[in-house]
């Protein structure tokens, strides 16, 4: 099973982190991002959105980090990470959307500007980061994990760009419940360090 | 089962549309959005993100339009709309992320500026709309539906802000495959007109 991968990408780190926690073996295929290999064939045929990561499992191709988490957990990871009942799935999908929208356009965007020179509005991203991290902190004040009272793919979808947030000049200091949640996740067997 | 609802919201329309297609009965509770009722108790306790829609099904509360689609389809809608196997779920989640990220920050954002005066970058939203709609059009050139070769919650998550895009000054004319997909969806039994 191949993961088309970029070391510095938080979206790719979501998948590598989960695979490591769930003991799923992936063959990492580093993509030459700087030369734009992800926007050219053959990768642009696997993912027309021109984004990484991409998972290739035999004939099955999955793009989008959230969808890859669902795939890996559902096929190889066991019900602890992605349950079979729709109530639990919906609880998790709330956080997958939060990862794809709120996290992406706040802490992730700020890092893209600061570390990689992307042409995005950094001050707007930093404003959104305060809102996003405050919401997360409030949720984690009364919950050890994002969903279902245990580690799930929801945590693997949200953690990477949060732990990488200081690279976008985001101060995590005010968010003590977020900090404790990160320490809990980092103590899980199989935890994989951030890139 | 209550849907805390705003008529003009495309995110709420996702849920109303799906419920109508799948013949699921919802009690619509209109929220006084202009006075900010969604950001105050009791609604802010149901959804700390201060967003609509919110679904309340007995003791179960689900926020986020994508998560609500998963919940309704999984609990009440049947396997046609949200399958039990992770391969199909992952295929659909790709499009739920696309709805939460690409669609939200392009055609939806342009409409929020144009129709409701939101302080967002409209020219950037319109640029992103071209990219997003082009990707969608290319996918629909070879596919009748977004996922699994049949109508699923993926279509219900993406269609609303696409059909509403002209309200944000987005011209849908160049996207003929998108247009045909919209006609197919609009021909389904139980289809609910856009707000």
């Amino acid at each position: 099973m191949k993961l088309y991968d970029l070391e510095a990408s938080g979206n790719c780190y979501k998948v590598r982190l989960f695979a490591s926690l769930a003991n799923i073996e992936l063959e990492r295929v580093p993509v030459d991002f700087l030369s734009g290999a992800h926007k050219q064939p053959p990768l642009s045929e696997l993912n027309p959105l021109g984004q990484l990561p991409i998972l290739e499992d035999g004939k099955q191709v999955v793009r989008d980090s959230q969808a890859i988490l669902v795939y890996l957990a559902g096929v190889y990871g066991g019900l602890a990470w992605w349950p079979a009942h729709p109530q639990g799935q919906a609880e998790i999908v709330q956080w997958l959307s939060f990862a794809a929208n709120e996290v992406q356009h706040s802490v992730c965007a700020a890092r893209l500007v600061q570390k990689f020179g992307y042409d995005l509005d950094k001050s707007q991203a930093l404003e959104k980061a305060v809102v996003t991290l405050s919401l997360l902190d409030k949720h984690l004040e009364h919950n050890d994990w994002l969903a279902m009272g245990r580690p799930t793919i929801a945590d693997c979808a949200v953690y990477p760009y949060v732990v990488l947030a200081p690279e976008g000049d985001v101060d995590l200091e005010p968010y003590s419940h977020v900090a404790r949640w990160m320490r809990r996740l980092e103590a899980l067997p199989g935890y994989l360090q951030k890139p």
Side-chain angles (χ1 to χ4, degrees), chain A residues 40-55:
Chain A
Q40 293 154 25
L43 289 186
S44 63
E45 281 154 17
L46 295 181
N47 182 5
L49 275 68
Q51 298 167 345
L52 296 173
I54 307 167
L55 185 80

Side-chain angles (χ1 to χ4, degrees), chain A residues 4 21 34 36 41 44 46 59 71-72 95 98 100 113 116 123 127 132 147 161 172 184:
Chain A
Y4 294 93
L21 288 168
L34 287 180
S44 63
L46 295 181
K59 285 185 180 170
Y71 180 86
L72 287 178
W95 294 102
F98 188 78
V113 176
F116 303 102
S123 66
E127 276 174 38
T132 298
Y161 282 116
L172 291 177
R184 277 190 289 277

Side-chain angles (χ1 to χ4, degrees), chain A residues 138-175:
Chain A
K138 198 173 163 198
H139 179 77
L140 290 164
E141 186 178 351
H142 304 291
N143 296 278
D144 280 354
W145 303 99
L146 292 185
M148 308 193 67
R150 62 170 191 257
T152 67
I153 58 170
D155 304 284
C156 297
V158 172
Y159 169 86
Y161 282 116
V162 174
V163 74
L164 292 169
E167 294 184 7
D169 281 343
V170 174
D171 181 10
L172 291 177
E173 189 68 29
Y175 311 106

Side-chain angles (χ1 to χ4, degrees), chain A residues 78-144:
Chain A
L79 292 174
W81 297 98
W82 174 248
H85 55 89
Q87 291 86 350
Q89 292 177 346
E91 194 183 338
I92 289 173
V93 169
Q94 294 178 146
W95 294 102
L96 301 187
S97 290
F98 188 78
N101 182 1
E102 282 81 2
V103 174
Q104 183 77 28
H105 293 271
S106 63
V107 287
C108 169
R111 179 176 177 258
L112 288 175
V113 176
Q114 184 65 21
K115 193 174 163 96
F116 303 102
Y118 276 54
D119 180 25
L120 298 167
D121 185 336
K122 191 179 164 196
S123 66
Q124 191 192 56
L126 289 175
E127 276 174 38
K128 286 187 182 180
V130 172
V131 177
T132 298
L133 290 166
S134 301
L135 284 165
L136 200 56
D137 203 60
K138 198 173 163 198
H139 179 77
L140 290 164
E141 186 178 351
H142 304 291
N143 296 278
D144 280 354

